[in-house]
Amino acid sequence: MAKGLWGFLWTMLLLFCAIQELGSWAMHTAVEGPGLGEPGDPALLAGGRVKRGWVWNQFFVVEEYTGTEPLYVGKIHSDSDEGDGSIKYTISGEGAGTIFLIDEITGDIHATERLDREQKTFYTLRAQARDRQTDQLLEPESEFIIKVQDINDSEPRFLEGPYIGSVAELSPIGTSVMQVMASDADDPTYGSSARVVYSVLEGEQHFTVDSKTGVIRTAVADLDRETQDRYEVVIRATDMAGQLGGLSGSTTVTIVVTDVNDNPPRFPQKMYQFSIVETAPVGTAIGRVKAEDSDVGENTDMTYQVKDEEGVEMFKVTTDSNTQEAVITVQKPLDYESKKVHTVVVEALNKFVDPRFVDLGTFRDQTIVRVSVLDVDEPPEFRPPSNLMEVQEDAHVGSVVGVVTALDPDTANHPVRYAIDRSTDAERIFDIDAKTGAIVTGKVLDRETAGWHNITVLAMEADNHSQVSRASLRIRILDVNDNPPELATPYEASVCEDAKPGQLIQTISVVDRDEPQSGHRFYFTLAPEATNNHHFSLLDIQDNTAAVHTQRVGFNRQEQDVYLLPILVVDSGPPALSSTGTLTIRVCGCDSNGAIQSCNSTAYVVSATLSPGALIALLVCVLILVVLVLLILTLKRHHKSHLTSEDDEDMRDNVIKYNDEGGGEQDTEAYDMSALRSLYDFSEIKAGDGGGGPGEGAPGRNPASELHALPQWVQSPDLDFSVFRDYICRKVEQADEDLSVPPYDSFQTYAFEGSDSPVPSLSSINTWSSGSEQDFSYLGGWGPRFRQLAALYAGRRGGEDSEES
């Protein structure tokens, strides 16, 4: 029954659509014209027959068809079809063969699937008419469209949700909150399926909505955030312009009521009580109070202030920006003995006041804060707090400088004892009476050494020394005239030999370590011992200085080159003190302009008028002299290094190297043989002893001559070697004592002199202990190289023999 009713409704809907589109059901193509075909087209019939057009209906299909049979869409037909089945109809394109099927013989098109216009609104296809036998096109291929007819099958939807809006509390009626918008997927151009209207399902007591625009507005003027700060409003959207049978959708809109400053601050209590000890330092926090405000955010920001005069003087109130609390602190020192309880009026007021709500009342509130001061045991207090005392520097030890007084501020009023902090008076210059507080001098004072003294005085309770207070005391030492004036410096002046009378020589001033309150005043005069002075005069200039002038014509350096002028200086006292200073005046030679050239006590002063050339010449002369002096010193040092005493003579100085072999036997000038001969000159021995015994040599031979002629040592029985022994011993002792130089003596052993030498050894070591004669005739057999040597020794020996004879 239900299925039959549903089919009836679909049939009625189709009839309604058919009536609405009555004018476009049939469509015929025009007789051949532009675009229908070209000559030679196979679609043209033989014999030039005119091409015929398609004949079919305009195609529409209703969406959401739920029938069991395929839905008839329409029919395509060629006017050449004579109904004999010779023409075959086919379609291609979107949905051909799947969604849309065609009867090849009749050209009827059916929809086999349920269509949805919201997914696809139309389908584009192409139709063909072919000869069933030859499969040739009888008509040109033509494109057509199947439109999906809309029905109201989509409800309105709120696509931008969830919606959250806000409105300030106490807003007037009709204040816009926000706008909502619903979307309908149906065709807005067909019927009223997509026409949406809005209404409020829930929350209509406080809000309304515009049926066309969806704008939500306030319906009341007394929205109070403190009562309710959030509302949930349900908005419905209905299509078909709200008519019966239309589809609808809904959404929930959250509306937040924002705060305005419509509530003043209020203290939860009308009185607060705090307590604090009387010794609390300035700035100590006593307590905190806070005024409550029902508003939120910056509307709760507030400031606090003290309203009464007493509270303003003693206490200070600040606002904690984080907690919005009032912090009460001590502004002046508290005293339990003066006042035990303080009453403070604290006022709280909003920082930001909305002028729209001023008529609601004053946005401020007050409360009373009672502060109780607690008594504590306090240290003594100095009264009066004067910290300056004065004393004369000539005051005797034990003189009273001043008296300090301290009292116990507590009700008990304990006795006070005094002392001096010795870290501030390590030298114990001052003492204090422990009971009376009298400060006296402990040592002799000297203003010139220390003009000020800073000490710290301690005051403590007699029975509780932990309660100590301190006071800094400055003691000024007053000056007395106990130092005589003195010349500022050891003055020295110069006077030219040709000075004239009344010429200014020197201006002198004095210093005084004292500092009289009326200032210094000094008097100058010549000392009594200078009363017979006729050379110089002293003039007091009356400004604490004096001038020395010449009193005679000219001075002579030869007679006296230095004058000592004693000057007596007296201060103004009291008592007046004096001292004598000496001015040294030197007589100098001056040029015509009065410039000093030289004085006896100084070196010659070069005149500033010398030319640069003269200065350069003088410098060159000085440089030459310096070079000559250095050269002479160098030569003397070099010469001295070669002149040693006979006792310190080094035997190495007698070693002569002779390593030149010469040019052969004909070379008689290659070396001076006298240098070798001089080494063996024992003339002193020869003079002291005429010769050896007859048995020690050839007859008629002199041993001294033999020693002089031979280049080796020959022992003589009468030689005294004690001189050499003593010399060697002294050298050994010196070498042993001097540890800073290496030994010069060395012992070397030559164990091998060579091999295959045809020449025997010439060493005289083996003959040193023998006193016999040596025969050098064998030198002649050594060859041509030694012929000259053989002739030399043979000739020498022959000469000596002749002398002996």
Side-chain angles (χ1 to χ4, degrees):
M1 181 68 178
K3 185 178 293 187
L5 180 59
W6 183 252
F8 174 76
L9 291 176
W10 273 111
T11 303
M12 294 300 294
L13 181 60
L14 289 176
L15 291 176
F16 175 76
C17 294
I19 295 173
Q20 191 175 22
E21 301 294 335
L22 183 61
S24 52
W25 273 101
M27 178 179 179
H28 301 277
T29 58
V31 182
E32 182 178 352
L36 296 179
E38 298 295 335
D41 192 315
L44 298 179
L45 299 179
R49 183 173 60 86
V50 177
K51 173 187 172 185
R52 297 173 181 263
W54 288 96
V55 178
W56 66 80
N57 297 325
Q58 180 77 23
F59 300 135
F60 290 91
V61 61
V62 179
E63 66 171 337
E64 303 297 341
Y65 173 70
T66 57
T68 58
E69 299 295 330
L71 178 62
Y72 178 77
V73 178
K75 179 183 182 67
I76 60 173
H77 180 71
S78 175
D79 56 2
S80 61
D81 187 1
E82 297 179 354
D84 55 359
S86 61
I87 297 178
K88 182 175 68 174
Y89 297 97
T90 60
I91 59 173
S92 61
E94 298 176 337
T98 56
I99 299 175
F100 302 104
L101 299 179
I102 188 172
D103 190 319
E104 296 181 353
I105 298 175
T106 62
D108 294 334
I109 300 175
H110 292 79
T112 61
E113 295 183 8
R114 183 176 178 180
L115 303 180
D116 187 357
R117 191 204 65 83
E118 285 71 31
Q119 294 182 357
K120 192 174 181 60
T121 58
F122 63 89
Y123 297 85
T124 303
L125 297 93
R126 303 185 66 83
Q128 298 175 349
R130 296 178 178 271
D131 186 278
R132 188 176 296 275
Q133 299 297 329
T134 62
D135 202 29
Q136 291 184 356
L137 285 174
L138 300 179
E139 299 288 348
E141 187 178 66
S142 180
E143 183 179 275
F144 65 97
I145 294 175
I146 300 177
K147 294 183 178 181
V148 181
Q149 189 72 40
D150 181 51
I151 64 173
N152 189 20
D153 60 341
S154 298
E155 72 279 1
R157 295 185 179 182
F158 294 92
L159 303 179
E160 298 179 3
Y163 294 92
I164 299 177
S166 63
V167 63
E169 62 176 332
L170 302 181
S171 296
I173 297 175
T175 301
S176 176
V177 179
M178 64 178 303
Q179 182 180 17
V180 296
M181 185 175 294
S183 177
D184 196 320
D186 292 327
D187 188 359
T189 63
Y190 179 74
S192 300
S193 300
R195 292 179 59 187
V196 179
V197 293
Y198 302 93
S199 60
V200 179
L201 285 182
E202 296 180 12
E204 64 274 6
Q205 300 88 352
H206 302 94
F207 300 96
T208 62
V209 63
D210 190 291
S211 61
K212 295 181 179 180
T213 62
V215 175
I216 301 174
R217 301 179 184 275
T218 58
V220 294
D222 58 351
L223 293 177
D224 187 7
R225 189 203 63 82
E226 289 73 29
T227 303
Q228 183 174 353
D229 61 352
R230 185 183 300 268
Y231 293 88
E232 303 291 338
V233 180
V234 178
I235 304 297
R236 180 175 61 183
T238 306
D239 61 9
M240 296 296 292
Q243 298 178 5
L244 184 62
L247 303 179
S248 63
S250 63
T251 185
T252 300
V253 179
T254 301
I255 299 176
V256 178
V257 180
T258 59
D259 184 59
V260 296
N261 193 7
D262 59 337
N263 293 282
R266 291 289 181 266
F267 284 103
Q269 301 175 213
K270 288 303 178 181
M271 178 177 292
Y272 296 85
Q273 291 188 356
F274 298 101
S275 60
I276 188 170
V277 295
E278 61 176 333
T279 56
V282 173
T284 302
I286 299 175
R288 292 173 174 244
V289 295
K290 183 179 180 180
E292 302 294 340
D293 194 329
S294 301
D295 296 322
V296 294
E298 67 175 11
N299 294 322
T300 62
D301 292 349
M302 61 187 70
T303 57
Y304 298 89
Q305 59 186 4
V306 178
K307 295 298 295 182
D308 60 310
E309 295 181 0
E310 177 189 357
V312 170
E313 181 181 358
M314 298 297 299
F315 303 98
K316 180 181 179 181
V317 176
T318 58
T319 304
D320 188 331
S321 59
N322 295 324
T323 62
Q324 295 300 316
E325 292 177 319
V327 181
I328 305 172
T329 57
V330 178
Q331 186 163 271
K332 289 183 64 177
L334 302 174
D335 186 11
Y336 172 82
E337 289 72 24
S338 299
K339 192 170 185 178
K340 300 178 177 58
V341 178
H342 296 269
T343 302
V344 183
V345 178
V346 178
E347 182 181 66
L349 62 158
N350 279 130
K351 186 182 295 185
F352 306 104
V353 177
D354 194 333
R356 297 177 300 173
F357 308 107
V358 174
D359 56 346
L360 296 180
T362 58
F363 285 79
R364 62 183 62 198
D365 194 20
Q366 293 182 351
T367 188
I368 297 176
V369 178
R370 290 174 56 87
V371 180
S372 299
V373 181
L374 304 179
D375 185 28
V376 295
D377 189 7
E378 299 175 87
E381 294 180 355
F382 285 92
R383 298 175 183 177
S386 176
N387 61 350
L388 177 62
M389 294 183 180
E390 296 179 345
V391 61
Q392 296 285 343
E393 66 174 323
D394 59 350
H396 298 291
V397 175
S399 299
V400 177
V401 179
V403 178
V404 294
T405 303
L407 299 176
D408 184 6
D410 296 324
T411 306
N413 194 15
H414 298 95
V416 178
R417 296 293 180 262
Y418 302 94
I420 294 178
D421 186 352
R422 289 305 173 185
S423 63
T424 61
D425 184 27
E427 298 179 3
R428 294 183 174 271
I429 299 176
F430 301 97
D431 293 321
I432 189 171
D433 189 290
K435 294 182 178 180
T436 64
I439 298 175
V440 298
T441 58
K443 290 185 177 180
V444 177
L445 304 176
D446 185 10
R447 190 203 64 84
E448 287 70 34
T449 302
W452 287 88
H453 295 273
N454 298 320
I455 64 174
T456 300
V457 179
L458 308 179
M460 62 200 78
E461 294 181 1
D463 55 351
N464 185 6
H465 289 182
S466 62
Q467 295 296 330
V468 180
S469 58
R470 300 170 180 266
S472 297
L473 185 63
R474 301 172 67 236
I475 301 176
R476 179 183 179 184
I477 309 301
L478 300 179
D479 183 49
V480 296
N481 193 25
D482 57 347
N483 293 281
E486 299 174 351
L487 293 182
T489 60
Y491 286 103
E492 290 189 5
S494 302
V495 61
C496 295
E497 288 183 299
D498 57 352
K500 298 178 181 180
Q503 183 175 339
L504 177 64
I505 297 175
Q506 181 70 46
T507 300
I508 60 176
S509 61
V510 297
V511 293
D512 194 335
R513 297 176 62 190
D514 295 322
E515 292 183 358
Q517 295 181 357
S518 59
H520 289 291
R521 179 66 179 94
F522 303 109
Y523 304 93
F524 301 86
T525 183
L526 293 177
E529 58 266 25
T531 53
N532 296 327
N533 168 62
H534 301 292
H535 307 293
F536 305 98
S537 64
L538 181 66
L539 177 61
D540 191 342
I541 306 178
Q542 304 296 324
D543 62 350
N544 293 336
T545 62
V548 180
H549 296 83
T550 57
Q551 203 173 4
R552 55 174 282 188
V553 178
F555 296 86
N556 190 345
R557 282 188 292 174
Q558 303 300 327
E559 296 178 358
Q560 186 174 354
D561 60 346
V562 176
Y563 293 89
L564 301 178
L565 186 64
I567 300 174
L568 179 65
V569 184
V570 183
D571 61 16
S572 57
L577 301 179
S578 64
S579 67
T580 301
T582 301
L583 172 63
T584 303
I585 304 175
R586 301 184 185 278
V587 181
C588 303
C590 303
D591 59 9
S592 59
N593 296 325
I596 296 175
Q597 297 296 312
S598 65
C599 298
N600 289 346
S601 60
T602 60
Y604 176 75
V605 180
V606 179
S607 175
T609 59
L610 287 177
S611 64
L615 291 176
I616 294 175
L618 181 61
L619 183 61
V620 171
C621 293
V622 173
L623 183 62
I624 292 175
L625 289 176
V626 172
V627 172
L628 289 176
V629 171
L630 293 177
L631 182 59
I632 292 172
L633 292 176
T634 304
L635 291 176
K636 284 186 176 181
R637 183 176 298 175
H638 186 268
H639 181 65
K640 183 179 180 181
S641 64
H642 289 79
L643 296 178
T644 57
S645 63
E646 181 179 358
D647 293 341
D648 296 334
E649 181 181 1
D650 196 338
M651 292 299 294
R652 294 173 302 160
D653 295 342
N654 295 331
V655 178
I656 298 177
K657 296 182 180 179
Y658 182 65
N659 53 9
D660 187 4
E661 295 183 359
E665 60 181 337
Q666 302 300 328
D667 187 2
T668 60
E669 299 179 356
Y671 191 79
D672 185 7
M673 297 300 294
S674 63
L676 290 175
R677 294 190 186 101
S678 65
L679 295 175
Y680 308 102
D681 186 4
F682 288 88
S683 58
E684 297 178 359
I685 301 176
K686 180 179 178 180
D689 193 348
E696 294 178 3
R701 285 284 180 88
N702 190 342
S705 300
E706 184 69 20
L707 287 173
H708 178 75
L710 295 178
Q712 67 274 342
W713 293 98
V714 179
Q715 183 178 9
S716 175
D718 298 329
L719 292 178
D720 185 7
F721 290 99
S722 61
V723 175
F724 299 100
R725 187 179 299 107
D726 293 340
Y727 173 78
I728 293 172
C729 290
R730 287 199 306 271
K731 288 295 183 180
V732 170
E733 291 178 359
Q734 294 178 1
D736 292 341
E737 295 176 356
D738 190 359
L739 302 179
S740 62
V741 297
Y744 290 136
D745 299 334
S746 63
F747 178 78
Q748 298 181 358
T749 302
Y750 298 93
F752 182 68
E753 296 185 357
S755 61
D756 300 332
S757 175
V759 181
S761 174
L762 295 177
S763 174
S764 60
I765 296 178
N766 57 358
T767 61
W768 132 266
S769 61
S770 175
S772 62
E773 297 182 359
Q774 251 187 322
D775 187 7
F776 292 99
S777 60
Y778 65 88
L779 295 176
W782 282 9
R785 288 183 176 273
F786 296 94
R787 186 177 302 168
Q788 184 71 19
L789 183 61
L792 179 63
Y793 280 94
R796 173 69 69 90
R797 182 175 182 179
E800 292 176 355
D801 292 342
S802 63
E803 290 176 1
E804 292 176 0
S805 63

